[in-house]
Structure formats: C-alpha cells, structure tokens
Amino acid sequence: MGFFRILLVSLLTLPQLALAATPGELDRLYTALRGTDLMEILSEEGRVQSEELQADMFPGRSNASWVATSSAIYDVEKMRVTFRARFNAELTDTDVSEILDYLESDEGKRVVNLEVDARRALMDDAVEEAAREAFGELKIADEARLDRLEAFVDANNLIDLNVSGALNSNLSFYNGLAAGGGFELPQDEILADIWESADEIRADATEWMFGYLTMAYEPLEDQALDTYISLSETPSGKALNRALFAAFDDLFRGISFDLGKAASRFTQGDDI
C-alpha cells in the first residue's frame, strides 16, 4: 500500500484550453508540483519497504546485496525519468498555462507545500497514526469539514484510483516473482490472491487517505479548500489528475516487477 500513497498528492486543476503544452511548461509544472521532492520521498519509503520485504521473505540473510539491489530499483533519477515520460505524454495536448498560474501563485505554492510536507511527515509511523486519529476526531467534531474532504476525494476519484493502482502493483510484483524463476505461480492463482486482498486494500486506502487529507489541509481555510475542489472538477483538472495517476501507475508497476524479480532470485541464493 505504501507505493500508492504518493498518488494522493497535488491533484491541482484549472480549465483546459486547446493549446498544447510546451516542454518548458511541462518542466515548470513538474517543478511546481515539487516532483523531485516527491521522487525522493518515494525512494526513501521504498527502501524501507524493501527492508521489510527482506525480513518477511528471507529473514536472517545478509542484506548487503539486497540493499544494493533495492537501492538501484529505487534510484531517484530512474524514477523521475519513468514518471516524466508518461506524465508528459498524458499532458501533451493540454494547455497547462492556467494550471501553472495557480501552482506558481502564493496560494498554489502553499497548497503544494502542505501536501508534500505532510506526505514526508507520514513516513513516521507515529505521525501516520496521529493523522488517522485526527480524522476520527474530525468525523465527530466538524461535519462541514468532513463534507469538504469527501467532496475532494469524490471529485478526484481518489479511492478507486488508488485501489486500482495498488492491485496493479501487486500483480506486477507477482509477475516479477514468477519471472525470477524462484516461484511457480499460475496466473489464475495470482489473480485470485490479489482480488482476495481488494477489500482490505480499499479499507486501508480510505483510512489513510482521509487521515492524510485531514493533516495536510488542516491549516487551509474553507474557502481555499472549496476553490481547490472546484478546480478539481474542471476539464484540465481532470486531465492533470489522470496524468498523475497514469504516471505513478507506470512507475510503481515497473518498480514492483523489478522488486519481485529480484526477490525471487534472492530466495534462490543468486548473487543479485
């Protein structure tokens, strides 16, 4: 599930026009979304998760080789290239000038900073637990704010898209395990196992999502959040949302496959 949490960040929007985005505008958009910071956060998270994977799949083994392999899989520059390839392709025919106007404004910068800083903070398990508890309190104490968060989630289809991304990632991991030669995994059994976990993934994604949003947007005024929700419902907002999810889906499917293949080889005692 950790792979896809990053999919919750910066779904910013403004009306879509007919003109195509220029390479320079796409570079500015990536910068305005703090893309480099996001890749670094994902890389750090991934390395931690790969250590947990090692403990689950081959406990007691020396981890030097595994650390080197997982570090290469989570290389920040490699991740950036993969993400940008799909992200740029998805937005090539979109006029992003108004999106940039917002993102590069004081309010847009504030929103992105709140999102990314909260995302980084949630790498601490104690902070994540506190965010989930804060959402529980919000449900009781502030119905109007809860309605706004639910409207934001619905406008961007955050739960369904995150669940879909998580299932795709899990499938890629299983396929990587099979490709590594260490496991006999019939496709029907793989699919059955993945679908069996769908409800648990959805429940965790929902709880994490609302905890994250509660924490990230706590300093944001209601009016600013209302504006953000409205922007999310515009054509160009939806285009940006699609681009983000498509790019992260490509990124995490590739990472999951490579991680599964490496884990498969490691269980066989191969020097990876």
Side-chain angles (χ1 to χ4, degrees):
M1 285 302 301
F3 289 156
F4 288 87
R5 289 168 176 170
I6 189 59
L7 301 178
L8 317 176
V9 177
S10 296
L11 305 174
L12 304 174
T13 59
L14 276 167
Q16 184 176 5
L17 305 177
L19 300 177
T22 67
E25 286 176 326
L26 292 173
D27 287 344
R28 287 168 56 199
L29 183 57
Y30 181 79
T31 299
L33 291 168
R34 291 182 60 183
T36 297
D37 291 324
L38 293 176
M39 294 301 115
E40 290 174 352
I41 291 169
L42 285 175
S43 177
E44 186 176 344
E45 276 194 348
R47 293 169 198 236
V48 172
Q49 291 160 3
S50 69
E51 292 176 3
E52 296 171 355
L53 179 65
Q54 180 197 16
D56 289 340
M57 294 190 67
F58 24 86
R61 295 275 301 273
S62 173
N63 70 350
S65 180
W66 177 251
V67 168
T69 298
S70 60
S71 294
I73 291 172
Y74 285 103
D75 177 75
V76 172
E77 179 60 16
K78 179 182 175 182
M79 293 168 65
R80 183 195 68 80
V81 170
T82 300
F83 177 91
R84 286 293 305 271
R86 183 66 183 273
F87 184 72
N88 287 8
E90 290 288 327
L91 290 173
T92 296
D93 296 327
T94 301
D95 185 339
V96 299
S97 59
E98 290 185 282
I99 298 172
L100 280 170
D101 286 344
Y102 178 79
L103 286 172
E104 294 175 343
S105 71
D106 289 342
E107 183 172 315
K109 290 176 182 178
R110 183 186 179 210
V111 169
V112 171
N113 287 339
L114 288 173
E115 292 173 340
V116 176
D117 291 349
R119 187 69 188 83
R120 188 183 297 279
L122 286 177
M123 289 190 291
D124 185 322
D125 290 342
V127 174
E128 178 181 337
E129 182 60 29
R132 292 177 186 249
E133 291 176 0
F135 172 61
E137 295 171 1
L138 181 72
K139 288 191 291 184
I140 299 171
D142 195 341
E143 183 177 351
R145 190 68 167 188
L146 175 62
D147 288 344
R148 285 182 168 89
L149 294 184
E150 290 177 339
F152 182 78
V153 168
D154 290 343
N156 293 290
N157 197 22
L158 293 181
I159 303 302
D160 285 346
L161 289 174
N162 273 281
V163 171
S164 175
L167 294 175
N168 287 340
S169 179
N170 288 348
L171 177 59
S172 292
F173 181 78
Y174 274 111
N175 287 337
L177 286 175
F183 296 85
E184 294 291 336
L185 299 170
Q187 195 70 12
D188 59 341
E189 293 184 16
I190 291 175
L191 293 174
D193 187 66
I194 289 172
W195 280 113
E196 185 177 349
S197 67
D199 289 344
E200 181 180 353
I201 288 173
R202 178 174 293 276
D204 185 67
T206 300
E207 185 176 349
W208 188 94
M209 170 72 70
F210 279 101
Y212 164 77
L213 295 177
T214 300
M215 176 181 175
Y217 299 150
E218 191 276 332
L220 203 61
E221 299 82 0
D222 287 344
Q223 182 178 356
L225 186 53
D226 288 342
T227 298
Y228 200 22
I229 294 166
S230 296
L231 296 176
S232 299
E233 295 171 336
T234 64
S236 63
K238 293 183 181 300
L240 180 57
N241 193 29
R242 286 194 300 271
L244 286 166
F245 274 97
F248 280 117
D249 193 49
D250 275 8
L251 175 63
F252 293 124
R253 282 192 293 107
I255 285 174
S256 296
F257 181 86
D258 290 344
L259 202 62
K261 187 174 182 180
S264 181
R265 292 176 56 193
F266 197 80
T267 61
Q268 300 171 71
D270 289 0
D271 182 6
I272 58 174

